[in-house]
Amino acid sequence: MATSSFLAPAPVVRRVRGYFAAVNRGTGTPVLFDPAEMGGFALDSPPAPWVSLGWIKNFTRKAGSRTAPILTGIPAAVLEQARETLDAQVGFQFLSWTKLTMALATGSQHMNLLAPAAGAAAVIQSGATATLLPLLAADAAKFSAGRIVAVDVDYAGQTGFVGSPVSGAYVKAALTDVDYVRRVTFNVATVASVATTGLAGLTLTDALPGGVPAAGMKVQALTGFVDREGGSFFQEWSALFVMEGGQGERVFFHYPRLQALGSAVEVASSLAKNGTLERVLLGGEFRALPVTDPLDGERVVCYRSFLPAGKALI
Amino acid sequence: MQNAKDSFYVALRTRLAAINPERTILLRSAVRPGIVVEEAEAPFAQLPADVFVLRWLGLGVDQDLPSTMVAEEVEVLYSTLGTQSFGGLDRGRALSEMDEELVAMLTPFWTPKLNYTATPATVMLTKVFWDEPVFGQATALRDRLSRTARVVVYSYQEAGE
């Protein structure tokens, strides 16, 4: 008789993949991942609002929760246990430098280096999409293909969390920099082509993280990114890590709220055993913050899910 | 173990046919994708050029698991003399092309395990998976440029195997 199942050994994985989703800092709402509903997604195209962070290296998890015994009787014996503290940490290295990975790995606020030569931000005309930014011809001529641009509103004295679609900073007191929101926004993309005749504007290589630009948003060229040691802002994000085993099984680690635990660090990884070239990886250490599980009201910091291989005995 | 070896070979053969349909070999009056298993063919006096040859080498078994894991090392040998139209001066480019094809053939790093002794082949319960290839140095012998790559192929023994 043919067998219809097999005894699956522990998963054998090659690497770990990371995914990001923005926490709504204003309302304190993280993104929850439901593996029962979305666990089978293609790793290269995660379901919205998750964004791939690429493959990561040296992924480690550490639970810092402490339990304490409750003793009763003479002589005292453990009656039950109580959880005194709830804590968990995650560490890994990003294998790429992008706006997102750099911003998450840094321990503080992450900013865009706005290009000084490009002058004032250009007003986005009507008809914009997530990949097409119509501009006046004169404004479009200030940009060139390959340029990175930031798209967001002018700073108008607001306080609190600013930036879209991810809160890039918390403004404690009103500032005077009109470009401040575009300086901290995560809504960045690379220009694929520039049209200065006909329908003038910018075509982007990828869709803006924030989707279709809202009314009043402007586009501004930037040259790179910068972070600082210090400050009081902590970036917060919802994280998902996936290990895929050789039999197709999957292990998910979901942290609804993660904040950077340390400062910005780089890890050098030699390309060859006796060579001098080194790959510089962004190192990240993160602390998990608690959420209330809507299922039963318990406070938790992370979830570990396992989707077994097909036909595996459980 | 043979099912894993067969599945690995057929997976690479199928992928090669899609990656480069023009890489073929005429063997026993049949035109096939340009990849053969050395131990399943008549002995070669010299390995054919512009064809991938799989040579099975080491074997390891881990029985301390719910299902026995088998690790089989395969060496992929390939060589080229370039093309006649360029007088063989393109042999370096031809070898690079084969390097790229091998990397593409090995991705993704798994394939379902099938039993090819049955007709039609039957899908088994587990998958065959492998590690990234370790490429050796290119070697030149007169006008022939060759390279080998080693891959460790893993599988779980199923009931009846």
Side-chain angles (χ1 to χ4, degrees):
Chain A
M1 188 181 78
T3 52
S4 57
S5 56
F6 71 103
L7 289 163
V12 176
V13 302
R14 292 180 61 242
R15 46 191 182 176
V16 185
R17 189 140 185 177
Y19 298 90
F20 159 92
V23 170
N24 185 327
R25 301 297 296 276
T27 61
T29 310
V31 175
L32 294 179
F33 176 76
D34 182 356
E37 190 182 336
M38 300 184 279
F41 71 87
L43 295 184
D44 287 332
S45 51
W50 295 96
V51 177
S52 175
L53 297 169
W55 301 106
I56 58 174
K57 197 175 171 185
N58 295 333
F59 176 74
T60 54
R61 296 180 348 117
K62 192 166 65 178
S65 302
R66 283 205 302 256
T67 56
I70 296 173
L71 307 171
T72 59
I74 301 173
V78 178
L79 177 69
E80 58 181 338
Q81 289 195 103
R83 201 176 296 278
E84 277 192 330
T85 60
L86 188 58
D87 186 25
Q89 295 172 16
V90 186
F92 57 87
Q93 291 147 17
F94 289 108
L95 290 173
S96 62
W97 286 58
T98 65
K99 164 72 186 179
L100 199 51
T101 59
M102 194 179 170
L104 298 179
T106 187
S108 184
Q109 183 176 322
H110 190 258
M111 291 182 284
N112 305 315
L113 289 167
L114 298 178
V123 177
I124 299 172
Q125 306 297 310
S126 61
T129 69
T131 56
L132 178 67
L133 306 178
L135 302 176
L136 295 175
D139 287 336
K142 296 175 184 172
F143 295 88
S144 57
R147 185 68 119 162
I148 307 171
V149 292
V151 175
D152 218 314
V153 295
D154 278 344
Y155 177 74
Q158 63 267 45
T159 54
F161 291 106
V162 295
S164 65
V166 181
S167 296
Y170 185 86
V171 181
K172 287 181 279 193
L175 308 169
T176 56
D177 180 8
V178 71
D179 295 326
Y180 186 76
V181 181
R182 285 181 293 278
R183 207 176 289 284
V184 298
T185 189
F186 280 58
N187 208 24
V188 300
T190 303
V191 177
S193 62
V194 179
T196 53
T197 56
L199 180 61
L202 312 179
T203 301
L204 306 175
T205 54
D206 292 305
L208 285 165
V212 179
M217 283 190 173
K218 294 181 179 177
V219 57
Q220 195 162 1
L222 59 98
T223 58
F225 310 104
V226 61
D227 56 36
R228 306 176 295 191
E229 177 69 30
S232 57
F233 181 74
F234 285 88
Q235 188 57 250
E236 185 174 313
W237 53 298
S238 296
L240 176 67
F241 304 100
V242 184
M243 295 176 174
E244 189 169 52
Q247 299 303 307
E249 68 273 48
R250 284 185 175 183
V251 184
F252 294 95
F253 301 102
H254 174 40
Y255 293 81
R257 298 176 63 203
L258 273 189
Q259 287 194 0
L261 179 62
S263 302
V265 292
E266 303 80 39
V267 180
S269 170
S270 295
L271 286 190
K273 196 178 287 182
N274 297 318
T276 56
L277 289 176
E278 293 179 328
R279 179 178 288 115
V280 182
L281 306 177
L282 287 167
E285 295 287 334
F286 303 91
R287 166 163 283 141
L289 277 64
V291 294
T292 301
D293 193 322
L295 195 64
D296 54 10
E298 293 278 12
R299 290 179 82 214
V300 298
V301 290
C302 64
Y303 298 83
R304 180 178 67 181
S305 313
F306 176 55
L307 300 189
K311 299 173 185 169
L313 279 177
I314 295 299
Chain B
M1 299 177 191
Q2 189 58 48
N3 290 323
K5 291 162 68 177
D6 292 344
S7 301
F8 178 76
Y9 162 65
V10 174
L12 264 60
R13 191 181 69 179
T14 306
R15 292 174 188 181
L16 178 61
I19 295 163
N20 183 2
E22 293 178 1
R23 186 171 303 286
T24 56
I25 182 173
L26 179 64
L27 206 60
R28 296 195 296 278
S29 306
V31 177
R32 298 157 36 178
I35 180 168
V36 297
V37 179
E38 187 181 43
E39 65 189 26
E41 304 294 344
F44 297 112
Q46 184 178 40
L47 294 180
D50 301 307
V51 167
F52 295 97
V53 179
L54 303 187
R55 178 182 290 164
W56 290 99
L57 300 172
L59 176 67
V61 178
D62 185 348
Q63 295 179 294
D64 297 337
L65 294 167
S67 296
T68 299
M69 175 183 263
V70 177
E72 295 166 282
E73 187 180 29
V74 64
E75 189 176 40
V76 186
L77 306 95
Y78 49 103
S79 60
T80 180
L81 291 83
T83 58
Q84 211 167 24
S85 54
F86 285 96
L89 299 182
D90 58 347
R91 58 187 182 281
R93 289 177 172 275
L95 191 71
S96 292
E97 194 178 329
M98 296 187 82
D99 293 338
E100 289 165 16
E101 287 174 13
L102 180 58
V103 171
M105 270 192 283
L106 292 170
T107 309
F109 292 75
W110 62 271
T111 190
K113 184 154 77 165
L114 281 85
N115 180 355
Y116 287 96
T117 61
T119 306
T122 54
V123 180
M124 301 180 75
L125 302 172
T126 59
K127 292 186 171 76
V128 178
F129 55 102
W130 51 90
D131 213 337
E132 293 179 352
V134 177
F135 287 91
Q137 288 189 335
T139 55
L141 182 62
R142 290 188 295 278
D143 53 352
R144 178 183 287 257
L145 208 50
S146 309
R147 193 192 303 280
T148 63
R150 290 191 176 206
V151 181
V152 180
V153 179
Y154 299 91
S155 62
Y156 294 112
Q157 288 293 96
E158 298 182 24
E161 275 195 293

